[in-house]
Amino acid sequence: MDASMLQEAAAALLSAYETGKPIAPLIETYPAATLEDAYRIQQRVVRHWAERGDGVRGHKVGLASAAMQRQMGVDQPDYGHLTASMFHLEHQPIPIGSFLQPKIEPEIGFVLGSRLRGPGVTVADALRAVEFVVPALEIVDSRIQDWKISIVDTIADNASSGGVVLGSRPTAIGDIDLRLVGCVLHQNGQIAATGAGGAVLGSPVNALVWLANTVGPLGVALEPGHVVLPGSMTRAIPVSPGDTIVATMAGLGSVTAKFSGEERP
């Protein structure tokens, strides 16, 4: 894709954010698009937000499970950016109209205490950089119509990012084996899904290492205070107006997201 095509694709995604109207899959409009093109589109979108004051406050890792990688036909995860406006307070109403076609996933959120920059980051480096972990809920969303996404579509669309809700109980990473953390996801009081930390690349820490080593050569560092979401412990479930979602994680506590029926502003 040349520069004009990249900008055209980024503009289409930004329009979907602003109007609430999803677009046709980018891979249909630009069938020759590569993964490199997709990340360039993503960078243009994120740069547009940053220029308007919505700065990067972290990153997310997607396609962290073997099942999702097989579905997308890839052999590694992808990543997206978390900006300031994506963070929502626990227990406070989240206007569902802010999203197009939202789903929700439980994750173990890393909060960094020191800078982490690849290449060459090891598990030891990653563990040392994490100040604490918290239970988290990621709201995933797609600006692509009916979630008909290819790997190019999801990467260009900021790895299908939507929002984040962080729990308020911090836990030192050395106090718990993240691989063995079990999770129960409730939707309106009913069990919707279950999972464990080991579903995320064998350990959520592996996702953090992969992220640091992937974005480092691009000149990007994971900064102190940044939040990293390493991947979902369960399948994603759709959410509707009025839903209350609670993720309970053994040893980490719980996190709650409540969705109001407010329309788009």
Side-chain angles (χ1 to χ4, degrees), residues 103-105 140 232 234-238:
K103 302 180 182 181
I104 202 161
E105 303 174 339
V140 293
S232 180
T234 73
R235 66 180 179 87
I237 62 170

Side-chain angles (χ1 to χ4, degrees), residues 3 51 59 62-63 66 70 92 110 127 157 182 209 225 244 246 255 265:
E51 289 171 352
H59 289 81
L63 306 180
R70 285 194 299 270
Q92 299 302 306
F110 295 109
L127 291 171
D157 191 21
V209 171
T244 296
V246 181
V255 56

Side-chain angles (χ1 to χ4, degrees), residues 123-157:
V123 167
D125 297 326
L127 291 171
R128 189 164 50 244
V130 176
E131 185 170 358
F132 57 85
V133 295
V134 292
L137 287 165
E138 182 189 0
I139 305 164
V140 293
D141 197 9
S142 181
R143 275 51 62 175
I144 306 300
Q145 192 169 17
D146 299 324
W147 277 95
K148 292 181 178 178
I149 55 174
S150 68
I151 182 62
V152 166
D153 290 295
T154 188
I155 290 174
D157 191 21

Side-chain angles (χ1 to χ4, degrees), residues 62-71 77 199-201 231-232:
L63 306 180
S65 71
M68 284 302 299
Q69 289 178 21
R70 285 194 299 270
Q71 180 180 327
V200 182
L201 293 181
S232 180

Side-chain angles (χ1 to χ4, degrees), residues 89-114:
L89 294 176
E90 186 180 20
H91 295 288
Q92 299 302 306
I94 301 169
I96 202 163
S98 300
F99 309 99
L100 279 72
Q101 37 196 352
K103 302 180 182 181
I104 202 161
E105 303 174 339
E107 307 201 17
I108 296 171
F110 295 109
V111 180
L112 301 184
S114 59

Side-chain angles (χ1 to χ4, degrees), residues 43-60:
Q43 289 165 357
R44 279 168 164 74
V45 171
V46 173
R47 185 162 57 244
H48 174 89
W49 292 333
E51 289 171 352
R52 285 152 180 76
D54 192 12
V56 174
R57 295 295 182 269
H59 289 81
K60 63 157 286 185

Side-chain angles (χ1 to χ4, degrees), residues 62-264:
L63 306 180
S65 71
M68 284 302 299
Q69 289 178 21
R70 285 194 299 270
Q71 180 180 327
M72 288 292 180
V74 295
D75 59 2
Q76 64 177 350
D78 68 352
Y79 70 86
H81 296 73
L82 303 175
T83 66
S85 67
M86 294 182 185
F87 287 81
H88 300 272
L89 294 176
E90 186 180 20
H91 295 288
Q92 299 302 306
I94 301 169
I96 202 163
S98 300
F99 309 99
L100 279 72
Q101 37 196 352
K103 302 180 182 181
I104 202 161
E105 303 174 339
E107 307 201 17
I108 296 171
F110 295 109
V111 180
L112 301 184
S114 59
R115 202 168 192 249
L116 196 60
R117 181 169 183 173
V121 169
T122 66
V123 167
D125 297 326
L127 291 171
R128 189 164 50 244
V130 176
E131 185 170 358
F132 57 85
V133 295
V134 292
L137 287 165
E138 182 189 0
I139 305 164
V140 293
D141 197 9
S142 181
R143 275 51 62 175
I144 306 300
Q145 192 169 17
D146 299 324
W147 277 95
K148 292 181 178 178
I149 55 174
S150 68
I151 182 62
V152 166
D153 290 295
T154 188
I155 290 174
D157 191 21
N158 196 30
S160 302
S161 298
V164 187
V165 181
L166 299 178
S168 56
R169 175 189 168 187
T171 299
I173 196 167
D175 292 346
I176 195 162
D177 187 339
L178 298 183
R179 300 168 301 173
L180 303 180
V181 173
C183 174
V184 179
L185 187 67
H186 285 86
Q187 183 175 31
N188 303 324
Q190 302 295 316
I191 295 177
T194 61
V200 182
L201 293 181
S203 169
V205 178
N206 292 341
L208 178 58
V209 171
W210 175 87
L211 177 64
N213 286 329
T214 298
V215 301
L218 303 176
V220 177
L222 308 181
E223 301 290 353
H226 274 192
V227 173
V228 174
L229 299 180
S232 180
M233 304 164 76
T234 73
R235 66 180 179 87
I237 62 170
V239 291
S240 301
D243 277 358
T244 296
I245 310 295
V246 181
T248 304
M249 302 180 189
L252 294 181
S254 65
V255 56
T256 300
K258 293 185 176 182
F259 292 89
S260 74
E262 296 177 29
E263 298 296 328
R264 291 182 64 84

